[in-house]
Amino acid sequence: MEELVERSNLQLAYQRVVENKGAPGVDDVSVSEFKDWLKMHWPSVKLALLEGRYLPRAVRRVDIPKPSGGMRTLGVPTVVDRLIQQALHQVLQPLFEPTFSDSSYGFRPGRGAHQAVRQAQGYIREGKRWVVDIDLEKFFDRVNHDVLMSRVARQVSDARVLKLIRRFLEAGMMSDGLVESRMEGTPQGGPLSPLLSNILLNDLDQELERRGLAFCRYADDCNIYVGSRVAGERVMSGVRVFLEEVLKLRINPEKSAVARPWERKFLGFSVTAHRESRLRIAPASVQRLTQKVRDLMRTGRGRSLTHTIEDLNPLLRGWINYFRLTETQGVLEELDSWMRRRLRCLLWRQWKRGGTKARKLRGLGIDAERARLSAGNGRGPWWNAGASHMNQALPAKYFTSKGLVSLMLTHQRLQSFS
């Protein structure tokens, strides 16, 4: 606890909390107001921590939609509780990091999703062409506090710290002014939750290593690679028993399976069925991008093409930067073409009247008679967006001149730098 409240540790924690910004907790103190709040209240908070009597406030419940459907519940702690959790994380991580598996990639310094994906690809290329894809059912909501605390106590002997962690776990969740008590789970949203998830699931990693299995785990997303379906079914059965009996966790049967790797996805990626399996973008990841683009276009119908492209580009850059490992480019070319068609569709809608459409087409180089016939063809915006007159009037180079990011060209540039 003395290390937690040490000045340099708190300064670093404060810097990270401020950089992360985030919404206020149940006390409505914002990050911008936090400095003044600390000047007034920190001495009493520090004393309470050192004496082992600090009580965290309830977390504010926020439900956000999952990309795959359903809702994910986040718990937003107060800013001071985020500061304490971050300071605690900085003290605890060096204790636990040496105990973690080389096959664990989530929420660890110097590790990330791309390394996990590359390792998974390596196992498949070695001949382990079956995957045991494990999805833990509502993991962050179902963590057993006693099981987790027994794992934390393996490295932490300070009773004040153990008591503080349990109080963070048991802090109520406020929604619509009512506080609901919690006897299990570690809600996502606080700086400490990712580390606690790794501490708990490290037992799973050790069990898989003890069995000599090839696996990659990123947070609660775990893939185990084996040589046959029979071996996969046997592993799935054994892992289910271990999780239920030892860690008190459950596998989601609807999202878990023993299958070919190219039939599943891992961290947004999949692979081809070639002997030298190549990384590709999973279809579900492509669908999520197209839905985001549709939503953005829907809200941008009254805006100029330039403003729409300015809103679109950060989304496209971030997406292709994450998926820069893909080794198949066909889908990127298709997405670029689809994106341009969406923009042509947007313009066709904005032009509205036949006279305006004919005038715009003429201005873009279409001869007068063809412009007149095209403007009055009676077809819908999406059909026209893919028709030859709009492709001729608004070719790919037109959108390039307007600054639209090309996923394929950006991917090629990223590959040339790697």
Side-chain angles (χ1 to χ4, degrees):
M1 188 62 79
E2 281 74 15
E3 288 181 49
L4 187 154
V5 301
E6 194 266 326
R7 186 176 181 82
S8 61
N9 186 53
L10 284 167
Q11 285 176 332
L12 179 58
Y14 175 83
Q15 180 182 339
R16 288 178 174 166
V17 168
V18 170
E19 286 174 353
N20 289 338
K21 299 179 181 178
V26 297
D27 60 357
D28 289 327
V29 175
S30 67
V31 171
S32 60
E33 301 166 328
F34 188 43
K35 189 172 184 178
D36 292 335
W37 188 97
L38 276 179
K39 289 177 181 176
M40 184 177 298
H41 298 285
W42 178 248
S44 59
V45 171
K46 179 180 178 180
L47 185 62
L49 287 167
L50 289 171
E51 293 179 352
R53 53 182 178 80
Y54 180 79
L55 294 175
R57 299 286 297 271
V59 296
R60 184 165 60 83
R61 178 177 181 142
V62 177
D63 292 321
I64 61 171
K66 288 183 178 180
S68 56
M71 301 297 288
R72 175 180 284 117
T73 298
L74 301 183
V76 181
T78 62
V79 187
V80 67
D81 283 341
R82 296 208 291 272
L83 174 74
I84 295 168
Q85 285 195 35
Q86 180 62 42
L88 189 54
H89 183 284
Q90 291 164 189
V91 171
L92 293 180
Q93 187 159 35
L95 295 177
F96 286 94
E97 185 63 27
T99 71
F100 291 157
S101 168
D102 285 341
S103 297
S104 164
Y105 294 90
F107 310 119
R108 296 182 60 191
R111 289 172 166 258
H114 285 176
Q115 292 166 303
V117 169
R118 283 292 193 206
Q119 182 63 73
Q121 182 187 27
Y123 290 140
I124 298 164
R125 286 181 168 180
E126 288 172 7
K128 297 178 173 65
R129 294 169 71 82
W130 288 88
V131 62
V132 183
D133 187 352
I134 293 174
D135 183 274
L136 296 175
E137 190 172 71
K138 296 183 178 179
F139 169 72
F140 285 94
D141 299 331
R142 296 277 174 84
V143 169
N144 182 290
H145 291 174
D146 291 336
V147 173
L148 173 57
M149 289 308 302
S150 69
R151 273 64 183 170
V152 175
R154 290 172 181 170
Q155 301 291 329
V156 178
S157 58
D158 191 327
R160 297 166 298 177
V161 171
L162 294 172
K163 189 185 297 183
L164 178 63
I165 294 172
R166 185 175 278 276
R167 284 172 175 169
F168 274 124
L169 292 171
E170 295 176 350
M173 184 172 286
M174 180 178 285
S175 178
D176 298 324
L178 299 175
V179 177
E180 176 186 349
S181 61
R182 288 188 299 119
M183 301 312 294
E184 63 178 4
T186 169
Q188 294 167 272
L192 201 53
S193 291
L195 177 61
L196 294 179
S197 71
N198 273 336
I199 291 171
L200 179 63
L201 291 176
N202 191 44
D203 273 31
L204 171 62
D205 298 342
Q206 291 176 348
E207 177 65 14
L208 297 178
E209 287 175 346
R210 187 185 67 79
R211 299 184 186 192
L213 294 169
F215 71 98
C216 298
R217 183 178 66 78
Y218 191 98
D220 58 334
D221 198 348
C222 183
N223 278 8
I224 306 165
Y225 296 90
V226 294
S228 68
R229 176 181 283 279
V230 172
E233 298 289 358
R234 185 172 63 248
V235 169
M236 177 69 85
S237 177
V239 170
R240 178 181 284 110
V241 170
F242 176 82
L243 287 168
E244 290 178 356
E245 294 186 356
V246 179
L247 298 184
K248 311 301 180 187
L249 296 170
R250 291 173 58 189
I251 290 176
N252 185 334
E254 295 180 0
K255 295 183 179 180
S256 302
V258 177
R260 294 293 197 177
W262 44 90
E263 297 170 355
R264 308 294 291 178
K265 64 183 177 68
F266 181 51
L267 302 176
F269 287 87
S270 188
V271 294
T272 65
H274 302 99
R275 180 165 296 279
E276 287 294 308
S277 290
R278 293 184 293 162
L279 291 177
R280 65 184 179 93
I281 303 168
S285 302
V286 175
Q287 290 168 11
R288 282 200 292 273
L289 174 67
T290 55
Q291 187 55 54
K292 287 180 180 179
V293 171
R294 285 190 185 97
D295 293 342
L296 190 148
M297 295 282 198
R298 197 171 292 122
T299 60
R301 285 183 182 174
R303 287 178 294 175
S304 70
L305 179 65
T306 300
H307 284 152
T308 301
I309 289 174
E310 286 175 354
D311 288 345
L312 198 55
N313 281 344
L315 169 64
L316 300 179
R317 286 194 191 96
W319 191 84
I320 193 58
N321 186 58
Y322 178 76
F323 287 108
R324 65 183 181 271
L325 295 187
T326 184
E327 294 166 321
T328 60
Q329 289 196 351
V331 68
L332 302 180
E333 192 171 4
E334 290 172 11
L335 282 169
D336 279 342
S337 178
W338 178 85
M339 213 86 60
R340 292 190 295 268
R341 186 171 178 178
R342 293 293 309 185
L343 291 170
R344 292 187 192 106
C345 183
L346 185 72
L347 289 173
W348 190 262
R349 288 180 186 278
Q350 289 178 348
W351 293 345
K352 293 182 180 177
R353 296 180 180 84
T356 304
K357 291 171 183 174
R359 189 178 73 252
K360 292 286 189 181
L361 288 171
R362 287 196 305 271
L364 291 164
I366 305 297
D367 68 76
E369 180 61 14
R370 189 181 180 200
R372 184 184 67 79
L373 291 173
S374 298
N377 62 28
R379 301 276 193 162
W382 184 246
W383 185 91
N384 275 283
S388 60
H389 57 272
M390 284 293 277
N391 275 276
Q392 182 181 330
L394 299 165
K397 63 182 180 182
Y398 175 86
F399 294 104
T400 301
S401 72
K402 295 292 183 181
L404 178 66
V405 165
S406 163
L407 296 174
M408 192 171 70
L409 293 178
T410 304
H411 178 257
Q412 290 172 352
R413 283 196 295 270
L414 289 170
Q415 292 302 298
S416 68
F417 291 130
S418 61

